[in-house]
């Protein structure tokens, strides 16, 4: 069972059809894939990695150690189910950036993060159009579906997973699916830890230098009416190394109305229980906030009305 690796440069030549088929298979059967030759300069990625690790050492590591000591996490004897072994901060890019509020980032770090986010935003939108092509939807459909009144929500969670003395008792990050749209991860290329659940087994997502790991969130499961599914994943902390994770979330705008694409519903579907619900993304996030580490199905069920009314799609 080989984790899907997609070489995006092959979309430009004779192997386009095979590459699109690989993406289709990954979306239908994995919910995850890794892309190489994605167009983001390697020098930019290397600089961001260096600055991120330096920032953790200078500004975050001592805070994490204080938290661990305060909570007694380094001496637990039973599984911890309400905390994660991670040190994090969040950067918002769209609809409005908050990067100038992050006062302990250097000027260079902010500028590099802004450039990286712009490149990732384009990659996310290009990938969404590839998904549209495979699904038989018009180009731009998914971007429009995410748009709402102010455009998509786009942000980055920067995380470090320090060495953990009891990784079997304290997860780096507990198992969950992602609430949003499409997620692009720039992860440590030397320290592993990310795993996804496939066919009842936890499978390692292999670290690879300069790759971007892509996974699908709950909103794409709804829009495709379950043709593509968000997949449970987790992070296992290591005992001897710190793992870096820079995960960027290209999500619907807060007021975007999400519902299955009419073109993907089987004509004359009588069984409404097989049709995913319609809701405002912000309302979904309110439910997700309390149920992130639980099964996703009850989150969908909470929005199911007796009848499904598919309204007009929000446009740019």
């Amino acid at each position: 069972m080989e984790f899907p690796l997609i070489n995006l440069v092959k979309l430009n030549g004779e192997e386009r059809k095979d590459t699109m088929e690989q993406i289709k298979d990954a979306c239908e059967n994995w919910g995850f894939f890794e892309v190489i030759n994605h167009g983001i300069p390697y020098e930019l990625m290397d600089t961001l990695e260096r600055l991120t690790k330096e920032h953790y050492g200078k500004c975050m590591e001592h805070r994490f150690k204080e938290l661990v000591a305060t909570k007694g996490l380094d001496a637990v004897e039973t599984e911890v189910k309400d905390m994660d072994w991670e040190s994090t901060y969040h950067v918002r890019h769209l609809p409005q950036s908050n990067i100038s509020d992050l006062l302990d980032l250097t000027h260079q770090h902010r500028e590099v993060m802004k450039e990286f986010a712009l490149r990732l935003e384009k990659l996310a939108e290009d990938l969404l159009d590839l998904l549209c092509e495979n699904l038989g939807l018009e180009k731009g459909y998914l971007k429009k579906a995410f748009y709402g009144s102010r455009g998509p929500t786009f942000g980055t969670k920067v995380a470090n997973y320090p060495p953990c003395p009891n990784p079997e008792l304290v997860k780096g990050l507990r198992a969950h699916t992602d609430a949003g749209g499409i997620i692009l991860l720039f992860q440590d290329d030397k320290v592993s830890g990310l795993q996804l659940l496939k066919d009842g087994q936890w499978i390692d997502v292999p670290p690879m230098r300069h790759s971007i790991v892509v996974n699908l969130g709950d909103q794409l499961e709804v829009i495709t009416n379950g043709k593509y599914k968000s997949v449970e994943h987790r992070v296992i902390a290591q005992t001897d190394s710190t793992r870096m994770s820079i995960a960027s979330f290209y999500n619907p705008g807060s007021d975007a109305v999400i519902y299955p694409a009419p073109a993907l519903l089987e004509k004359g579907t009588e069984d409404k229980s097989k049709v995913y619900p319609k809701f405002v993304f912000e309302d979904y996030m309110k439910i997700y906030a309390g149920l992130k580490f639980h099964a996703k199905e009850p989150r969908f069920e909470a929005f199911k009305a007796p009848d499904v009314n598919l309204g007009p799609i929000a446009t740019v």
Side-chain angles (χ1 to χ4, degrees), residues 56 60-62 64-65 68 84-88 159-167 170-172 191 235-244:
Y56 172 72
M60 306 286 288
E61 189 171 19
H62 67 278
F64 182 76
K65 287 178 177 175
V68 166
D84 300 305
W85 191 272
E86 62 174 0
S87 171
T88 68
N160 281 276
Y161 298 91
C164 178
N166 297 300
V170 190
K171 296 288 184 293
V191 183
V235 176
I236 301 297
Q238 304 298 319
T239 56
D240 56 356
S241 305
T242 297
R243 173 180 175 267
M244 179 199 77

Side-chain angles (χ1 to χ4, degrees), residues 8-9 35 54 103 140 242 294 311 314:
L8 293 182
V9 81
V35 297
E54 285 176 3
L103 300 179
T242 297
H294 295 75

Side-chain angles (χ1 to χ4, degrees), residues 27-145:
C27 289
E28 290 181 354
N29 297 309
W30 288 79
F32 268 80
F33 53 95
E34 201 157 4
V35 297
I36 56 173
N37 292 319
H38 40 62
I40 300 174
Y42 294 162
E43 186 180 354
L44 181 66
M45 298 178 77
D46 291 343
T47 304
L48 181 59
E49 179 174 358
R50 175 178 59 79
L51 293 170
T52 300
K53 290 179 175 179
E54 285 176 3
H55 173 261
Y56 172 72
K58 286 179 185 172
C59 302
M60 306 286 288
E61 189 171 19
H62 67 278
R63 294 179 207 163
F64 182 76
K65 287 178 177 175
E66 286 171 7
L67 175 70
V68 166
T70 304
K71 301 285 185 182
L73 286 178
D74 51 348
V76 294
E77 295 180 1
T78 56
E79 186 175 0
V80 175
K81 296 186 177 179
D82 61 351
M83 286 190 71
D84 300 305
W85 191 272
E86 62 174 0
S87 171
T88 68
Y89 63 93
H90 294 81
V91 185
R92 188 174 65 249
H93 311 298
L94 296 174
Q96 194 169 350
S97 174
N98 73 339
I99 199 161
S100 59
D101 300 334
L102 303 175
L103 300 179
D104 59 4
L105 296 185
T106 64
H107 174 74
Q108 184 193 17
H109 196 164
R110 285 191 202 132
E111 292 303 306
V112 168
M113 176 61 87
K114 281 194 273 190
E115 174 66 21
F116 183 68
L118 282 172
R119 302 271 187 166
L120 270 189
E121 181 188 345
K122 182 182 185 306
L123 178 59
E125 291 175 352
D126 288 347
L127 288 169
L128 286 175
D129 277 342
L130 294 175
L131 268 55
C132 285
E133 187 176 334
N134 271 336
L135 289 162
L137 298 171
E138 64 180 283
K139 185 176 181 179
Y141 182 95
L142 291 171
K143 183 180 176 182
K144 287 178 185 175

Side-chain angles (χ1 to χ4, degrees), residues 225 258-260 265 269 271-279 303-311:
N225 203 51
I258 303 299
Y259 55 85
L265 294 178
T269 302
D271 188 353
K272 297 294 184 186
S273 69
K274 292 183 179 176
V275 178
Y276 279 69
K278 176 180 179 179
F279 50 76
F303 288 103
K304 283 199 174 177
D307 195 22
V308 178
N309 175 29
L310 298 176

Side-chain angles (χ1 to χ4, degrees), residues 1-12:
M1 200 183 300
E2 208 165 305
F3 187 82
L5 178 65
I6 313 293
N7 185 349
L8 293 182
V9 81
K10 290 185 177 181
L11 290 169
N12 303 322

